[in-house]
Amino acid sequence: MSISETSPASAFKLKSGWFSRLPLSIRLAIREMRAGLGGFGIFIACIALGVMVITGVGALTDTLRSGLQDQGRLLIGGDISIARMHTRLTEPERNQLAEIGAVSETSTMRTMARSLSDDDQALIELKAVGDAYPLVGNLELRDGQTLKTAFSDPLAAAVDPILLERLGIKVGDQFTVGATQLTATALIEKEPDALGDRLTFGPRVLVKIPTFDATGLLKPGALVRWRYALAIPDAIDNDPGLVEAREDLAATFKDKGFTVVDRRAPSPDVTRTLDRLREFLTLIGLTALMVGGVGVANAVASFIDKRRKSIATLKSIGAASGQIFSIFLTQILCVTLIGIAIGLAGGLIVPVIVNTFFGDVLPVPATVTVSFASIGLAVAYGLLVALLFSLWPLGRAELVPSAVLFRDDVSGDQTLPRRHIVLATILVAAALFAISILASDSRRVAFAFSFAIIAIFSVFFALGWLVSWGARRMPRSKIPELALAVGNLGAPGGLTRSVVLSLGSGLSLLMAVALADSSIVAELKDRLPENSPDYFVLDIPREEIGAFRQTVLKAKPETKIFDAPMLRGRIVAIGDTPAEEVKARPESRWVLNGDRGITYADEPPAGSNLTEGEWWPADYDGEPLVSFEDGIAKGLGLKIGDKITVNVLGRNITAKIANFRKVEWESLTINFVMVFSSNTLRGAPTNILATVTLPEGSALSDEADVSRAITKDFPTTTVLRVRDAIAAFGEIFGKVMMAVRVAGGVTLIAGALVLAGALATAQRRRVQEAVILKALGATQRRILSAHAIEYALLALVTAGFAILLGGLAAWATLTYIMDVRFTFSWLAVGQAIGLASGLVLLFGGLGTWQALRARPVPYLRSE
């Protein structure tokens, strides 16, 4: 029973017990809600949708991180793992590890595998293991084989099954790796520490370390990663001994280029990726909540409108404006909590569903876990968004005089709320965006995202007002249907502002994603530089570069070959600050994580231009100097003259930054983040990296001939076909962008909910209008045509500005952040227009159909 149906006496009648001890406004709010939650369906759905996304993202991330921690010992093969490039542990270093616990040695390297006929070849990930491997877990081989039986032959190899298909061989056959013929004796089913190794790009081939030695691949400067797993007796997760052992190892091997991790954080790269994903998808969920906030505001306004007589009754019997505000704010908060509860329930199911249906493809076995922080963040977002969009209409309602509330009015009240309500709204908005920024590691990105949301809302709010204003001032058309459609666009309380704001913001996001996607795909596929190399060739022995050139030119004359020495080095300090303590921008942080390719040169590499500083002379022989890529240097806070320490081959080298370079990475020429002066690394054992560019018009058979000639004469090299690598990246990128589209689609769903709510709110006026028009002789066809024209105009205006704003956002992101050329896609434009038109016509058509079916008598008589 609503307040409007009770007498003043019964409305304020006190009950005995706990209910009577509640504040009056809460008691009245509870009584008011006895009539049910009619009209709050869209409100609840909008809040629930955004909260569900944020909760689901947080729960799934918590689950995967928990799985990483729970499986940490298995993933790194022990309690602690240390790794470095190029150089194996010395005997004294190995003895240091053996004093702590059991030690397992492994090494990994990318190289080529070839069939005995040399007709087929494939890039592989070669992994050599010691006798103690694996310390933790089990290596599962097909048909129940054990590692001992599989390696009974000194030149045996356990291989990924897909390698057999690529080389056209079967178990028991031989294939060539380096300078040795190996025998495929077993097929790998599951590798316990696969995630602990670096990202793989080819099938795994597992051999014993003595077999690895026999391949001839272990040469000075070869790109080999050595990893050592330690199993500490009786260690537990929180055992101070584990923490102490890790810190001691980090200090002991600090100057030797090792990366040290323990089982509590077995894969920092995966953890960082999960954190970035969580931040991005949480911002998407917040966007959905903000779009849904328009639906919240519409629902609150409709709620207030339906209770005009109740508010009038309360004011007539002496209720203060503050009491009325408290009553309806209490109801709004109760409904908000219902929406949040539904959203939390839906979000918490996400990791369970993912684990049930996709558990086999997850990087780690999932342990369904949810942190209070994830739930708290989702609840905070839900409450703040509900308050942000509710305070203003509630604050205006409390100021409307009783006489106005009793009067039928379709123009809508434009009274500003009281000052403290305006201030509260501003504070809620500030709190909402402060949380979104502070909860993100990438503060700059979160700030830009928040600013973009404000900008998009402001633009579409202004656009909605402008369309209404323009429609009211347009000359009346002589075509009745068009005149009615334009009149509806400018009518007070019409659909224009709600539709343009809610649908436009969601479409803008999807438009930006679609255009960014098409531009990057075009960059990968259609804009490959005309002079881009056909192959990258790694690990060419420095003393054999001349013979390498002869082999390539013999196979295909006029081929262009460029080369540069290449090593791997790890930044260990910038100035006096250790790398792990450097405060870098997230987009540049990756340079400090792990080892990077480095080189030395007397001249600036092709495809790069100095932006600051000067290059060293060709005969320079002073202190070590280094040239740094400009954008990354700025992200690290570097300036000319700063010192940077890089560990190369287990030795720390400190060099002064001499200049910055802007690198045109898209040219695919040989380039590096760091280029040292030649005197710094000339004496180091280095291999050569080369690019091979065939003459224009060369056939695929020519490419195959060159590749076979290289791998035959130089079996220890690795040949990477550029177009294959780009195609592989494009496939991965396509999957990522599909996930982004799905996430962005949540925003559009929120917009659709708001659209449906706006149409439902205006339904009573639409029915009255249709009834009056039919009474005046209008046919159903004319009414339907007028509504169709109105919806089509709304869809076109909304889609047009969504294309403009989304295109602008995509252009700015690609040009200033990703450095990718912008490509306009008419397909993406067509999809945006189609989505807008489809949604508006779908919901509008349903509303029109209900209006045409309505009986005229209830709407024509006076209430």
Side-chain angles (χ1 to χ4, degrees), residues 14-24 26-27 30 34:
L14 301 179
K15 291 186 176 182
S16 60
W18 66 268
F19 187 78
S20 63
R21 291 192 293 271
L22 293 176
L24 179 61
I26 294 179
R27 280 181 280 150
I30 294 174
R34 290 175 182 174

Side-chain angles (χ1 to χ4, degrees), residues 281-339:
L281 293 179
T282 297
L283 289 173
I284 291 290
L286 178 58
T287 304
L289 261 177
M290 293 294 290
V291 172
V294 181
V296 169
N298 290 341
V300 173
S302 177
F303 168 71
I304 295 298
D305 183 66
K306 291 179 180 178
R307 279 146 177 84
R308 296 160 73 88
K309 292 183 179 180
S310 296
I311 297 173
T313 301
L314 289 173
K315 282 204 165 188
S316 298
I317 60 177
S321 296
Q323 286 180 308
I324 293 174
F325 179 85
S326 299
I327 291 170
F328 291 108
L329 178 61
T330 300
Q331 295 182 25
I332 295 301
L333 290 176
C334 289
V335 175
T336 299
L337 291 177
I338 293 173

Side-chain angles (χ1 to χ4, degrees), residues 397-553:
E398 67 170 349
L399 295 180
V400 179
S402 300
V404 175
L405 290 172
F406 278 115
R407 185 174 66 234
D408 285 334
D409 183 21
V410 296
S411 63
D413 183 63
Q414 301 301 318
T415 306
L416 287 175
R418 287 185 292 176
R419 185 178 302 174
H420 71 276
I421 299 297
V422 175
L423 179 61
T425 303
I426 295 173
L427 291 176
V428 169
L432 180 64
F433 287 106
I435 291 176
S436 68
I437 293 170
L438 294 175
S440 173
D441 287 338
S442 182
R443 303 283 171 81
R444 192 172 68 141
V445 173
F447 179 82
F449 199 95
S450 300
F451 178 79
I453 291 177
I454 296 174
I456 288 175
F457 267 65
S458 300
V459 167
F460 280 105
F461 180 84
L463 176 63
W465 179 88
L466 185 62
V467 171
S468 294
W469 180 86
R472 288 195 296 271
R473 284 157 179 78
M474 284 185 64
R476 187 173 182 84
S477 173
K478 295 181 179 180
I479 304 174
E481 293 86 350
L482 181 58
L484 183 59
V486 173
N488 284 337
L489 290 177
L495 298 173
T496 303
R497 295 183 186 181
S498 295
V499 172
V500 170
L501 182 57
S502 59
L503 198 57
S505 51
L507 276 176
S508 295
L509 178 62
L510 286 186
M511 194 75 243
V513 170
L515 288 175
D517 182 15
S518 63
S519 296
I520 294 175
V521 170
E523 188 80 11
L524 289 173
K525 295 182 178 179
D526 303 330
R527 294 188 175 181
L528 194 64
E530 294 181 2
N531 297 321
S532 65
D534 295 285
Y535 289 102
F536 278 90
V537 185
L538 287 68
D539 283 331
I540 305 170
R542 183 164 57 177
E543 64 277 5
E544 298 180 16
I545 186 62
F548 172 83
R549 288 177 173 274
Q550 290 178 5
T551 295
V552 174
L553 294 174

